[in-house]
């Protein structure tokens, strides 16, 4: 199958779903159907004769357009896939709602006037395609994911429901270059959303994956994408990773683009009411393994706020020598013009200095449409930031290596702009050029008045 053909299938499914089902984002329902068709075509997760029999029933459902058997078949298939991947019922959770939405078994939840024949059209459409893989490469599955991710980003950029669960593509690519995940790593994202960051950062190395997402619908989506893509070891958990401590969650490489401006309760397992502070706290105390490295997005307030909790957290980061770099970027969060910053934490070697990168000026010129986080970083901008950290060097107007003592004396301020001053552009205009310009303006003014 070709990319264009798969993309056409996704959009066709979405168009049909829009006419039948009330859904916040038809792309979610489309990928569920595609996932179900793919796993039954490839006997994914089948480990017993009973599993094979359920898979055969599911294949019959698509071949015969048998909507009435939808609920039982969907539940059985997703249940044994959950078991095969140790997903703790991530896929089969609330399966009744899942099946009713897909196959219209609950007409009250569907668009007025929808009939079972309209739902049969969805089965009929997918029944025409064969997603069986020829080998273990998951080439078709990866095509499905790649094209779906493109569609998903398009819907997210329109400020839909899914925008809450995605990070900017360029932000993911920057994190990939900073973390340099290998096959031997365990990659962890404890605010993973739809899992698109994990896919972007790890897709070419296949490490162990540990993801946590509080929204069950989105957690299931990320698990589907990983299975389609062919990941060997995945652990997707539906839980609140900030309000509670999850002992089974940890990683040697960690990326978190967590929620901002969310107020949390002060509990025995969470000592920070600000979600951005809680994200960093959980990284250094719970989820990042010793010798591990993390890239965490934080708003600017976390870096300079004089409140006792923020100051205490920054002091601990510096005194323990865990901060490798702090990077100031333009707004890259959907729907807001809050500046984005990356906190690069490295537990492998205690550091007595921090590399600050003030990328605002040099990157703004390469970012398209930075209004309310709608922009993306250019490839050149991403490469410059990565190279600067790899070389760990000073560059006037862009980066500066600051001793921990100086940071302590500055009340543990971690704002790059406090240490990196943009170079003022020199005005090379001569007096003669100014005189000529004034004469031209005077001449124009005379013409207007005459």
């Amino acid at each position: 199958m070709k990319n264009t053909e798969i993309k056409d299938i996704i959009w066709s499914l979405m168009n049909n779903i829009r006419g039948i089902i009330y859904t916040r984002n038809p792309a979610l329902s489309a990928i569920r159907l595609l996932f179900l068709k793919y796993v039954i075509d490839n006997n994914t997760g089948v480990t017993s004769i009973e599993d094979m029999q359920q898979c055969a029933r599911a294949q019959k459902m698509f071949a015969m357009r048998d909507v009435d058997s939808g609920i039982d078949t969907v539940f059985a298939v997703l249940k044994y896939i959950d078991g095969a991947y140790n997903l703790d019922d991530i896929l089969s959770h609330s399966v009744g709602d899942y099946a009713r939405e897909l196959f219209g078994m609950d007409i009250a939840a569907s668009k007025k006037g929808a009939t079972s024949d309209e739902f049969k059209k969805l089965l009929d459409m997918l029944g025409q395609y064969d997603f069986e893989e020829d080998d273990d490469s998951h080439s078709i599955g990866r095509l499905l994911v790649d094209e779906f991710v493109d569609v998903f980003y398009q819907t997210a950029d329109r400020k839909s429901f899914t925008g809450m669960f995605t990070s900017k593509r360029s932000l993911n690519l920057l994190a990939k270059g900073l973390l340099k995940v290998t096959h031997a790593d365990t990659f962890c994202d404890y605010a993973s959303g739809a899992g698109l960051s994990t896919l972007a950062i790890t897709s070419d190395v296949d490490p162990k994956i540990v993801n946590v997402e509080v929204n069950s619908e989105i957690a299931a989506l990320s698990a589907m994408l990983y299975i389609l893509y062919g990941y060997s070891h995945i652990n997707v958990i539906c839980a609140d990773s900030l309000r509670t401590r999850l002992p089974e969650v940890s990683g040697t490489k960690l990326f978190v683009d967590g929620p901002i401006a969310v107020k949390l309760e002060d509990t025995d397992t969470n000592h920070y009411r600000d979600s951005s502070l809680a994200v960093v706290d959980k990284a250094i105390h719970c989820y990042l393994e010793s010798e591990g490295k993390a890239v965490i997005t934080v708003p600017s307030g976390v870096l300079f706020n004089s409140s006792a909790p923020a100051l205490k957290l920054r002091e601990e980061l510096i005194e323990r020598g865990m901060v490798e770099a702090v990077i100031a970027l333009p707004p890259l969060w959907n729907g807001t013009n809050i500046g984005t910053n990356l906190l690069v934490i490295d537990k492998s070697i205690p550091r007595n200095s921090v590399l600050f990168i003030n990328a605002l000026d040099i990157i703004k010129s390469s970012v398209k449409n930075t209004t309310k986080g709608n922009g993306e970083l250019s490839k050149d901008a991403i490469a410059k930031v990565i190279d600067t950290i790899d070389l760990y060097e000073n560059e006037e107007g862009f980066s500066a290596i600051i001793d921990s003592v100086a940071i302590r004396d500055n009340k543990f301020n971690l704002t790059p702009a406090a240490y990196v001053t943009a170079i003022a552009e020199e005005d090379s205009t001569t007096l003669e050029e100014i005189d000529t310009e004034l004469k031209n303006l005077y001449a124009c003014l005379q013409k207007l008045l005459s």
Side-chain angles (χ1 to χ4, degrees), residues 42-53:
N42 291 282
N43 296 319
T44 303
V46 170
T47 58
S48 67
I49 294 177
E50 182 180 1
D51 293 346
M52 184 62 74
Q53 290 172 339

Side-chain angles (χ1 to χ4, degrees), residues 23-25 28-29 32 90-91 93 98 101 161 165 193-194 213-224 238:
T23 178
R24 288 167 290 186
N25 192 298
L28 296 178
S29 294
R32 288 169 175 172
I90 288 291
L91 298 178
H93 177 70
Y98 178 104
E101 179 183 343
F161 161 72
F165 304 100
E213 169 54 40
V214 69
N215 183 297
S216 60
E217 183 180 19
I218 300 300
L221 169 64
S222 64
M224 292 179 197
C238 183

Side-chain angles (χ1 to χ4, degrees), residues 277 298-307 310-311 314 326 341 410-419:
L277 295 176
V298 294
S300 299
V302 171
L303 304 178
F304 68 84
N305 193 300
S306 60
S307 68
L311 186 60
R314 295 199 304 272
V326 184
N341 301 273
N410 198 19
K411 299 180 180 179
F412 299 99
N413 189 334
L414 297 183
T415 306
Y419 306 99

Side-chain angles (χ1 to χ4, degrees), residues 14 77 126 162 174 193:
M14 287 174 61
V77 170
L126 283 173
T162 51
L174 178 53

Side-chain angles (χ1 to χ4, degrees), residues 244-263:
T244 59
R245 178 171 183 169
L246 306 174
E248 70 273 29
V249 174
S250 66
T252 56
K253 296 291 175 65
L254 186 154
F255 173 69
V256 184
D257 183 16
I260 59 174
V262 175
K263 296 302 179 183

